[in-house]
């Protein structure tokens, strides 16, 4: 077997070093942190959000307003949680209705990175997922999702989906147009690269999703890595966290945000 020359060895070493640098994890100390609140939504599906007379904000949606434009005031989330957990929850609500998540986003030529840091609450009402105590999910919408840039992931939540009162126990989240790319991490180390279109699918995505986590006391940090959707794009996104073995709609969710990847957005990813 012919031995490789020294120049070839050096070239291969340099190329390997360049590749490792290009795919290195972000320096999170240089990435801005945005405080995002996740809250318990009860039975407030897409139909309720967009129906005049039920949700006052439906008029604003028609005018092109966003959920956070109405409900975020001075860095705090303004929601009537007492109403949501009583009028819009026939089953039972968790003790903690709302809590903060520290969100950081970064990108390089190859990847998009989304980092969530939070302390999940105990005192959940629903314990339907006995396999997983904790799950964190991020949805990224394509341009065809109805009002996606205004409502984030809310367009996937319908009154006829499972765990909604009187709904089909087999019907999953869906959208009538477009799709969401789905990333999910569980405390058991399971990673999902899926989608939501005519139904929710936990597998079959092509984003190359990876996730890693760490825990400091009661605080978790979950970092998702996926293929960069493309610099210059503004992508609607939403976050959902299932804590204390919660299943289905018994999660805490964010309002909709627009993530700017080298573009304008409610949250701007830092280029690394």
């Amino acid at each position: 077997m012919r031995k490789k020359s020294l120049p070839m060895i050096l070239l291969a070493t340099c190329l390997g070093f360049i590749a490792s640098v290009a795919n290195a994890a972000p320096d999170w100390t240089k990435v801005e942190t945005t405080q995002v609140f996740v809250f318990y939504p009860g039975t407030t599906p897409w139909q309720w959000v967009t129906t005049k007379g039920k949700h006052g904000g439906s008029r604003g949606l028609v005018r092109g307003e966003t959920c956070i434009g109405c409900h975020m005031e001075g860095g705090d989330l303004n929601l009537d949680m007492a109403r949501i957990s009583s009028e819009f929850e026939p089953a039972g609500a968790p003790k903690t209705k709302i809590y903060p998540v520290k969100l950081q986003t970064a990108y390089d030529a190859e990847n998009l990175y989304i980092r969530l840091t939070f302390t999940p609450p105990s005192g959940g009402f629903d314990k339907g997922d006995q396999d997983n105590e904790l799950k964190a999910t991020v949805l990224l919408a394509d341009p065809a999702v109805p009002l996606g840039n205004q409502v984030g992931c809310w367009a996937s939540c319908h009154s006829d989906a499972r765990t909604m009162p009187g709904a089909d126990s087999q019907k999953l989240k869906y959208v009538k147009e477009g799709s969401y790319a789905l990333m999910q991490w569980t405390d058991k180390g399971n990673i999902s690269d899926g989608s939501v279109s005519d139904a929710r699918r936990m597998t079959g995505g092509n984003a190359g999703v990876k996730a890693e986590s760490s825990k400091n006391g009661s605080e978790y940090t979950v970092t998702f890595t996926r293929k960069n959707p493309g610099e210059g794009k503004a992508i609607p996104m939403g976050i959902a966290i299932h804590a204390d073995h919660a299943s289905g709609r018994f999660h805490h969710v964010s309002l909709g945000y627009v993530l700017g990847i080298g573009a304008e957005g409610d949250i701007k990813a830092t280029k690394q």
Side-chain angles (χ1 to χ4, degrees):
M1 181 181 295
R2 188 171 64 180
K3 295 182 179 179
K4 292 183 179 179
S5 66
L6 181 59
M8 291 181 64
I9 294 173
L10 290 175
L11 177 60
T13 302
C14 289
L15 290 175
F17 175 76
I18 291 170
S20 66
V21 170
N23 295 316
D27 181 352
W28 292 110
T29 64
K30 297 180 180 179
V31 178
E32 181 179 358
T33 298
T34 301
Q35 181 169 261
V36 172
F37 291 94
V38 293
F39 65 95
Y40 182 70
T43 57
T44 55
W46 172 248
Q47 286 83 356
W48 179 85
V49 170
T50 55
T51 299
K52 184 178 179 180
K54 292 185 177 181
H55 174 221
S58 62
R59 298 178 180 87
L61 292 176
V62 173
R63 295 192 295 266
E65 297 176 7
T66 65
C67 296
I68 61 169
C70 179
H71 290 290
M72 285 298 295
E73 297 180 358
D76 290 324
L77 189 58
N78 178 17
L79 287 170
D80 188 349
M81 295 308 303
R83 183 186 181 202
I84 289 177
S85 60
S86 58
E87 180 181 348
F88 302 123
E89 183 44 82
K95 290 182 179 179
T96 299
K97 311 298 191 299
I98 183 171
Y99 63 95
V101 175
K102 289 181 281 188
L103 171 64
Q104 293 174 280
T105 60
Y107 72 99
D108 56 30
E110 300 295 330
N111 296 314
L112 172 67
Y113 308 91
I114 298 177
R115 191 184 202 216
L116 312 176
T117 302
F118 59 96
T119 299
S122 57
F125 169 80
D126 173 80
K127 310 282 187 179
D129 187 351
Q130 287 301 303
D131 293 330
N132 302 288
E133 182 179 356
L134 182 63
K135 295 179 290 191
T137 307
V138 176
L139 293 179
L140 301 175
D142 71 31
V145 171
L147 303 185
N149 62 336
Q150 296 172 255
V151 303
C153 60
W154 228 271
S156 68
C157 179
H158 294 270
S159 58
D160 60 349
R162 71 184 186 93
T163 72
M164 285 292 186
D168 184 341
S169 62
Q170 302 300 313
K171 196 172 186 66
L172 303 174
K173 288 180 179 290
Y174 65 92
V175 284
K176 294 183 177 180
E177 297 176 65
S179 65
Y180 292 90
L182 178 153
M183 303 183 287
Q184 187 179 90
W185 162 92
T186 79
D187 63 323
K188 294 295 189 295
N190 299 316
I191 312 301
S192 295
D193 181 356
S195 63
V196 179
S197 53
D198 59 319
R200 186 192 66 211
R201 297 175 177 87
M202 302 305 293
T203 60
N206 59 5
V209 174
K210 300 177 183 178
E212 57 184 16
S213 65
S214 62
K215 188 179 181 184
N216 182 13
S218 59
E219 183 180 72
Y220 283 83
T221 296
V222 179
T223 303
F224 291 100
T225 302
R226 57 150 289 158
K227 293 178 183 176
N228 186 347
E231 189 166 8
K233 290 187 177 181
I235 303 176
M237 68 173 291
I239 298 167
I241 297 176
H242 288 79
D244 202 12
H245 295 284
S247 64
R249 67 176 176 82
F250 296 95
H251 51 9
H252 290 73
V253 299
S254 73
L255 295 176
Y257 290 81
V258 173
L259 172 63
I261 306 174
E264 292 299 313
D266 305 308
I267 299 165
K268 294 183 181 179
T270 300
K271 188 172 185 178
Q272 295 276 289

